[in-house]
Amino acid sequence: MALYNFKKITVVPTAKDFIDITLSKTQRKTPTVVHKHYQIHRIRHFYMRKVKFTQQNYHDRLTQILTDFPKLDDIHPFYADLMNVLYDKDHYKLALGQINIAKNLIDNVAKDYVRLMKYGDSLYRCKQLKRAALGRMCTILKRQKSSLEYLEQVRQHLSRLPSIDPNTRTLLLCGYPNVGKSSFINKVTRADVDVQPYAFTTKSLFVGHMDYRYLRWQVVDTPGILDHPLEERNTIEMQAITALAHLRAAVLYVMDVSEQCGHTLQEQLELFNNIRPLFANKPLIVVANKCDVKKIDELSEEDQKIFADLTTDGISVIETSTLTEEGVIQVKNEACDRLLANRVETKMKGKKVHDVLNRLHLAMPGKRDEKERPPFIPEGALMRRKAMEVDAPKRKTERDLEVELGDDYILDLQKYWDLMNEDEKNDKIPEVWEGHNIADYIDPDIMKKLEDLEKEEELKERAGEYDSDDESEDEEMQEIRVLAKQIKEKKQLLVMASKEKDVHGPRMPRTATKVERKKLEKQMSGLGLDMDDKDDSHYAQQARRSRSVTLKRKRETSAPPTSKTRSQSASRPPRDKSGLRDPKMAKKAKKMMKNSQKDMNRLGKKGEADRHVFDLKPKHLLAGKRKSGTNDRR
């Protein structure tokens, strides 16, 4: 039976997108212009090609959808029942059937219109037939809007389903909600299932993987099941029932001994007996979880009898705690071992095993006779071994120590180091110190060099090389020192004088504004001062001086020219006005100049990374397709 990879199903577009994609492809991939000199047979072929191309596109895409989606009769019964629970088998088959019918209808429409087009006697007839054919195809597909939307939702949900291999080694967890199934799978696998203190946290199947005996195992966490008839179970519970019914797995029925899940042990036992037919021919282990809260020994006699009866029936009962991890590994190991034994036993019962066993022969060596044949060692080897023996006690090797100490043995190679000081054997030696590799600075002769250096220094001290003598300076050196001291003091005096000296003088504040002469005279007159004939006063002279600096001198009127050449040079007009009769002509010339400069201005703003449209009106988009009254380019 085929195992589908549901994640590789192609996206199912909506009906509108389907039509747009197909018609756009037809427009792009087929010729678009009928020329005047075309014969009628060529015109027929032109439009036939469009109809056939559209039909082929629809056919290929719809076939791809039908091929990608799994057929419920071809896949494993586990996946078939799971899809029936999640998506309703009838609705699913109906949607795929509608798509198949639409594909056949489109093929028939194209075939009929191609036949009619053979008898088209004009361009107009052929074109109308082409429009009718494409229109009918699109109408057929528009009617499949709901089916396409449903299939896209199914595809999205299928791609999110966990990849469960129904034939591989599997451990299946089941039981009431909130008994610790998700916590168990988180402990034994690399899965990360959400764990919360309320019921039905797990709403779908979750898969984790682990290794045991160099084999790959999958652990399936199912949603919680409640004890009521099969017809009343909801979609979440039916996923667990489907997995129990179809997966060849070791079943771990998890029970909450502490009853913190909200269900008594008697209720959990009733659910166990209710779904027990689903455990047939499968290894079964009852996991008594939450033993850190309450152990089986601490239960009442009636509750202890429940587990005693299960043990009597040959069902293993193991106490676990996912909080302290007590018993978790024991459950995993026992479940895996029992499932492996069960799989081997099942294969031995099958018919295929006889064909294999007939081709195998296992040779077992048997005793030839009763004669003893001890190992032979030559005499020379024995003598050599005796000669090598000494009376001194044999030194214990690391292997001997490891066997003797067992788990307490620790390999310590530093005890064999040969150091001057035995206490330094276990000192930690840094590899890098202050950014330097210590190995680069290790010198085996460092102590000898240090002793030589100390002797040399001692001899120099005895010779008086380091003795300082202040009187050894001559008179010239003393004069230089006095002069340097005087220069230093003079420099300090100069620095202090420059700090006290104000070289900038008074400064005008930035907020001060210039006062005009008229305003100043008016204010002073108002205060009672006589401000007549003040042209020679200081403020009037300052105002004249500042104006002469800031303002340009007015051009004096020149005398009339005496010669023709002088008059021409003096009255030469600007370049942009020379040769122009009147303002109208000047305006026209200015406009022409701006127009001629436009391209240069545009190129001046353009950079090498700017988008450039080579053709503002491409012919294939604007010629030959649009007619009066429509904007549809198709």
Side-chain angles (χ1 to χ4, degrees):
M1 293 182 181
L3 288 176
Y4 281 80
N5 185 0
F6 299 136
K7 291 178 175 59
K8 288 189 176 178
I9 301 175
T10 52
V11 178
V12 181
T14 61
K16 185 176 182 303
D17 291 344
F18 214 128
I19 293 166
D20 287 346
I21 291 165
T22 309
L23 293 183
S24 175
K25 193 172 183 182
T26 304
Q27 177 71 7
R28 286 184 287 109
K29 299 284 186 181
T30 55
T32 54
V33 181
V34 179
H35 294 288
K36 290 181 181 178
H37 63 275
Y38 279 4
Q39 300 291 328
I40 187 65
H41 68 86
R42 191 168 177 183
I43 294 170
R44 287 177 193 145
H45 179 73
F46 177 90
Y47 287 111
M48 277 183 198
R49 185 175 170 186
K50 285 189 175 294
V51 174
K52 286 179 181 176
F53 189 87
T54 307
Q55 175 263 331
Q56 192 61 44
N57 269 340
Y58 279 132
H59 180 90
D60 292 345
R61 281 186 165 272
L62 293 173
T63 305
Q64 182 72 29
I65 292 171
L66 293 170
T67 309
D68 282 352
F69 276 90
K71 293 180 176 60
L72 297 181
D73 300 332
D74 295 346
I75 58 176
H76 193 277
F78 164 68
Y79 276 119
D81 276 10
L82 189 63
M83 290 180 68
N84 182 27
V85 167
L86 294 172
Y87 318 121
D88 185 11
K89 180 170 64 177
D90 297 335
H91 192 178
Y92 177 75
K93 284 188 171 182
L94 193 66
L96 288 178
Q98 293 284 353
I99 297 298
N100 192 30
I101 291 168
K103 182 189 73 170
N104 295 331
L105 285 174
I106 286 171
D107 292 349
N108 291 336
V109 164
K111 191 165 66 175
D112 293 344
Y113 275 91
V114 166
R115 190 185 297 122
L116 286 171
M117 213 171 281
K118 289 179 183 176
Y119 303 101
D121 54 359
S122 66
L123 184 145
Y124 178 74
R125 284 269 174 86
C126 293
K127 186 168 184 178
Q128 292 304 100
L129 286 170
K130 186 265 296 185
R131 286 187 66 189
L134 266 58
R136 284 189 62 184
M137 290 182 200
C138 295
T139 305
I140 290 168
L141 208 65
K142 278 180 186 174
R143 289 176 185 158
Q144 305 308 319
K145 180 183 177 184
S146 58
S147 297
L148 291 170
E149 286 175 354
Y150 167 75
L151 287 174
E152 173 59 14
Q153 288 176 357
V154 170
R155 183 199 70 81
Q156 290 177 3
H157 197 277
L158 272 175
S159 65
R160 290 193 290 268
L161 280 180
S163 299
I164 300 173
D165 186 356
N167 300 317
T168 192
R169 295 160 292 277
T170 308
L171 303 183
L172 192 65
L173 297 163
C174 64
Y176 263 101
N178 214 27
V179 293
K181 301 185 294 297
S182 300
S183 302
F184 185 88
I185 193 176
N186 288 345
K187 292 293 180 186
V188 297
T189 69
R190 289 180 283 273
D192 185 18
V193 185
D194 189 25
V195 177
Q196 296 294 342
Y198 50 80
F200 287 108
T201 309
T202 306
K203 295 189 174 73
S204 61
L205 298 174
F206 282 90
V207 180
H209 294 87
M210 66 177 187
D211 294 323
Y212 179 72
R213 287 194 178 180
Y214 305 104
L215 295 171
R216 196 76 163 156
W217 296 71
Q218 66 181 8
V219 184
V220 180
D221 179 23
T222 61
I225 310 171
L226 297 176
D227 186 20
H228 47 217
L230 188 68
E231 297 78 19
E232 296 178 13
R233 289 199 165 103
N234 58 21
T235 305
I236 296 174
E237 295 174 90
M238 284 304 295
Q239 293 179 60
I241 298 296
T242 305
L244 283 168
H246 294 291
L247 292 180
R248 292 165 51 197
V251 179
L252 306 178
Y253 184 77
V254 185
M255 295 178 71
D256 184 0
V257 182
S258 67
E259 299 182 354
Q260 289 179 347
C261 62
H263 301 280
T264 62
L265 283 172
Q266 192 61 40
E267 290 176 351
Q268 296 179 54
L269 182 65
E270 287 173 5
L271 174 64
F272 176 79
N273 293 327
N274 190 357
I275 62 174
R276 194 165 181 175
L278 297 172
F279 304 153
N281 302 321
K282 294 174 186 173
L284 175 62
I285 295 175
V286 172
V287 180
N289 196 24
K290 303 186 184 178
C291 69
D292 56 310
V293 180
K294 187 183 284 188
K295 292 187 177 292
I296 294 178
D297 302 338
E298 301 170 5
L299 298 172
S300 63
E301 290 184 3
E302 292 180 3
D303 293 340
Q304 286 186 23
K305 190 173 181 300
I306 292 173
F307 293 104
D309 292 343
L310 290 173
T311 310
T312 309
D313 293 344
I315 300 169
S316 298
V317 178
I318 302 176
E319 289 186 88
T320 63
S321 169
T322 52
L323 185 66
T324 62
E325 298 188 14
E326 178 188 345
V328 171
I329 301 302
Q330 184 189 349
V331 170
K332 183 186 87 167
N333 294 347
E334 184 166 343
C336 293
D337 291 339
R338 291 183 64 179
L339 181 62
L340 284 174
N342 180 265
R343 284 167 69 92
V344 172
E345 188 182 338
T346 308
K347 287 176 183 174
M348 291 298 289
K349 289 178 182 176
K351 295 179 181 178
K352 288 183 181 179
V353 72
H354 297 296
D355 299 336
V356 177
L357 287 175
N358 289 336
R359 283 179 269 162
L360 294 176
H361 173 66
L362 183 61
M364 293 293 291
K367 263 195 170 186
R368 187 170 54 182
D369 50 30
E370 299 300 325
K371 187 178 177 181
E372 288 286 335
R373 293 180 176 83
F376 172 72
I377 302 174
E379 288 184 14
L382 288 171
M383 290 172 64
R384 223 177 294 127
R385 184 185 291 176
K386 282 182 181 178
M388 287 190 295
E389 289 179 358
V390 292
D391 296 335
K394 188 181 176 184
R395 177 175 160 272
K396 285 186 179 180
T397 62
E398 288 295 318
R399 174 62 183 160
D400 296 336
L401 289 170
E402 184 180 359
V403 173
E404 184 182 335
L405 296 174
D407 293 338
D408 297 331
Y409 171 75
I410 298 171
L411 179 63
D412 183 16
L413 296 176
Q414 292 182 355
K415 63 186 176 186
Y416 298 114
W417 287 4
D418 186 14
L419 298 177
M420 291 173 64
N421 189 359
E422 291 291 327
D423 298 336
E424 295 178 357
K425 280 187 177 179
N426 295 318
D427 290 354
K428 290 186 179 179
I429 302 175
E431 293 182 7
V432 177
W433 183 68
E434 292 188 357
H436 300 288
N437 188 353
I438 287 181
D440 296 340
Y441 296 92
I442 290 176
D443 187 356
D445 303 328
I446 188 72
M447 299 306 293
K448 186 174 179 300
K449 290 178 180 176
L450 183 61
E451 287 176 6
D452 296 343
L453 187 62
E454 285 177 349
K455 286 180 183 177
E456 188 181 347
E457 291 296 315
E458 192 177 342
L459 291 171
K460 285 184 177 180
E461 282 181 8
R462 286 179 190 172
E465 187 172 339
Y466 298 124
D467 295 342
S468 60
D469 189 7
D470 296 335
E471 298 176 359
S472 62
E473 290 185 357
D474 54 357
E475 293 181 2
E476 187 179 352
M477 193 64 189
Q478 289 176 358
E479 287 179 8
I480 290 172
R481 288 186 184 282
V482 172
L483 189 60
K485 191 175 180 181
Q486 291 175 356
I487 291 170
K488 195 173 181 181
E489 289 174 356
K490 182 69 175 173
K491 271 189 176 180
Q492 287 177 350
L493 290 170
L494 289 172
V495 169
M496 289 171 67
S498 66
K499 283 182 181 178
E500 292 172 1
K501 187 179 178 183
D502 188 6
V503 294
H504 299 292
R507 296 180 185 175
M508 286 283 286
R510 289 191 175 187
T511 53
T513 54
K514 188 178 178 183
V515 182
E516 294 182 1
R517 180 182 172 184
K518 290 181 180 178
K519 194 173 181 181
L520 181 63
E521 289 179 351
K522 188 177 179 184
Q523 286 178 352
M524 292 297 144
S525 302
L527 293 171
L529 291 174
D530 183 15
M531 300 302 291
D532 297 334
D533 300 329
K534 295 290 184 182
D535 291 338
D536 298 330
S537 63
H538 173 71
Y539 71 86
Q541 290 176 4
Q542 285 292 105
R544 278 200 299 274
R545 193 179 298 122
S546 63
R547 196 184 304 120
S548 68
V549 171
T550 54
L551 299 179
K552 285 186 179 179
R553 188 177 58 181
K554 209 170 185 181
R555 183 181 287 179
E556 296 177 1
T557 54
S558 57
T562 54
S563 65
K564 187 177 181 183
T565 54
R566 288 286 299 276
S567 67
Q568 281 180 351
S569 61
S571 62
R572 180 178 293 167
R575 285 189 66 184
D576 59 339
K577 292 183 181 178
S578 63
L580 301 175
R581 290 191 302 273
D582 49 15
K584 186 178 179 183
M585 192 174 182
K587 188 177 179 183
K588 186 178 180 182
K590 199 166 186 180
K591 189 176 180 183
M592 288 171 68
M593 182 189 74
K594 280 187 178 179
N595 287 340
S596 65
Q597 196 67 23
K598 260 184 188 177
D599 290 338
M600 290 294 289
N601 291 344
R602 193 173 74 243
L603 290 172
K605 295 174 187 174
K606 189 172 103 170
E608 60 183 18
D610 290 343
R611 181 169 173 266
H612 177 54
V613 181
F614 292 95
D615 193 355
L616 294 175
K617 290 188 175 182
K619 189 175 177 68
H620 73 281
L621 291 178
L622 297 160
K625 298 303 290 183
R626 297 192 183 190
K627 300 297 179 184
S628 58
T630 178
N631 281 330
D632 188 3
R633 289 191 280 114
R634 285 194 286 275

